[in-house]
Amino acid sequence: MANSTTVTDVSLETTFLGHKLSNPFMNASGVHCMTTKELDEMANSNAGAFITKSATSIERAGNPEPRYYSVPLGSINSMGLPNKGIDYYLEYVLKRQENFPNAGVIFFSVAGMSVDENIKLLQKIQDSSFSGVTELNLSCPNVPGKPQVAYDFELTKEILTKVFAFFKKPLGIKLPPFFDFAHFEIMSNILNQFPLTYVNSINSIGNGLYIDVESESVVIKPKNGFGGLGGEYVKPTALANVRAFYTRLNPNIKIIGTGGIRTGQDAFEHLLCGATLLQIGTELHKEGISIFDRVEKELKDIMAKKGYKSIDEFRGKLNSL
């Protein structure tokens, strides 16, 4: 029997924390979210939601330039957390919340340079009237001299214990990629002990190296050219992490799938692995916010061909051989 589902039958509507979003797409923190102008553009785009730049206590210039470089299969960057500081972004989201009370959910990202700074940043959000979702970035791979927190399992548990002692608002965490089943198990066992709203997986694959053969040189300045990889390079790793956490975490901890989403098919694969929301980074940087129109259309086309009218009909239902 021919499949009679048409694109007009397909809905990408996604529910997150009781908010109905028109689709599961967002920007990845760090892309198109540095200034209020960029945040406004994200808010007015076809994305279902948006997230702010990971904020530190005060403004940071980040690493010396060039620190981002587009490569054929993605990107390499060592940004070093440039941002305008928490007060800049908090003022923006509070104003937006007030002016557009029914505009869905706002995601607010923070990334302290130390445990104490993370606690102070989250304390500030807890004491504010912010009613969206906070993301604690435990996975910035590009700050010289600072290891990724989430690769230290004991420290991760210590931070989350301290955070949830006072933080009562919805909180998700951004994780780096893991590459070992033992690490998926250990991290999941830790995360399942806390009332997390979501896990965002993955941040860029840390410390790749890209070489320009003509000049026999690296292409970015910080850390002698070592930087986080994004884009097509990382999709298989991202899918593996989304799947590994989807099958191990409590079902009330949602997964945001990030890494290598360039087409509707990439989005479909992330959803099939169990993601609820999807963040686009490298490709948004390359293409601009019109990417959301394109990937939504492509995802709808795939779903219509397969006879799916909603994402819930296939989310997480990846087949094994």
Side-chain angles (χ1 to χ4, degrees), residues 128-143:
S128 77
S129 58
F130 178 59
S131 62
V133 186
T134 305
E135 177 169 288
L136 175 59
N137 184 349
L138 295 179
S139 64
C140 184
N142 298 318
V143 177

Side-chain angles (χ1 to χ4, degrees), residues 86 90 93-94 97 108 110 118-134 162-171:
I86 187 171
L90 199 52
V93 296
L94 293 178
Q97 209 172 265
F108 193 100
V110 294
N118 279 327
I119 298 294
K120 285 190 181 119
L121 291 164
L122 291 171
Q123 195 80 61
K124 189 162 219 169
I125 293 171
Q126 177 63 36
D127 294 343
S128 77
S129 58
F130 178 59
S131 62
V133 186
T134 305
K162 286 179 173 169
V163 165
F164 282 109
F166 71 88
F167 199 80
K168 303 302 174 207
K169 296 180 176 185
L171 182 75

Side-chain angles (χ1 to χ4, degrees), residues 190-219:
I190 292 169
L191 301 181
N192 279 333
Q193 296 170 41
F194 297 97
L196 286 161
T197 302
Y198 70 85
V199 163
N200 184 350
S201 186
I202 58 172
N203 206 331
S204 53
I205 296 182
N207 296 320
L209 193 66
Y210 190 86
I211 292 169
D212 176 349
V213 172
E214 284 302 305
S215 60
E216 301 178 19
S217 166
V218 300
V219 294

Side-chain angles (χ1 to χ4, degrees), residues 34-102:
M34 176 73 117
T35 61
T36 55
K37 178 178 179 286
E38 287 185 326
L39 287 165
D40 277 340
E41 286 169 4
M42 272 306 308
N44 295 321
S45 75
N46 263 354
F50 69 91
I51 188 166
T52 62
K53 183 85 178 75
S54 291
T56 48
S57 304
I58 54 171
E59 185 167 357
R60 272 177 69 87
N63 292 340
E65 297 189 358
R67 57 194 183 185
Y68 177 97
Y69 193 84
S70 276
V71 298
L73 289 176
S75 61
I76 183 167
N77 86 84
S78 180
M79 302 299 288
L81 280 175
N83 73 94
K84 302 276 190 189
I86 187 171
D87 293 340
Y88 177 91
Y89 299 106
L90 199 52
E91 186 188 335
Y92 175 82
V93 296
L94 293 178
K95 207 176 278 178
R96 184 153 191 92
Q97 209 172 265
E98 203 179 309
N99 295 339
F100 305 97
N102 302 315

Side-chain angles (χ1 to χ4, degrees), residues 24-26 28 198-202 238-239 241-242 254-261 267 270-271 274-280:
F25 294 106
M26 303 171 58
Y198 70 85
V199 163
N200 184 350
S201 186
I202 58 172
L239 293 174
N241 277 260
V242 167
K254 302 300 179 206
I255 313 284
I256 296 183
T258 307
I261 298 177
H270 267 270
L271 295 166
T276 293
L277 296 179
L278 306 169
Q279 291 187 353
I280 303 179

Side-chain angles (χ1 to χ4, degrees), residues 1 4 17 48 103 108 111 135 201 203 231 244 259 277 294 312 316 319:
M1 190 180 114
S4 59
L17 266 191
F108 193 100
E135 177 169 288
S201 186
N203 206 331
L277 296 179
R294 179 176 65 74
D312 286 338
N319 293 314

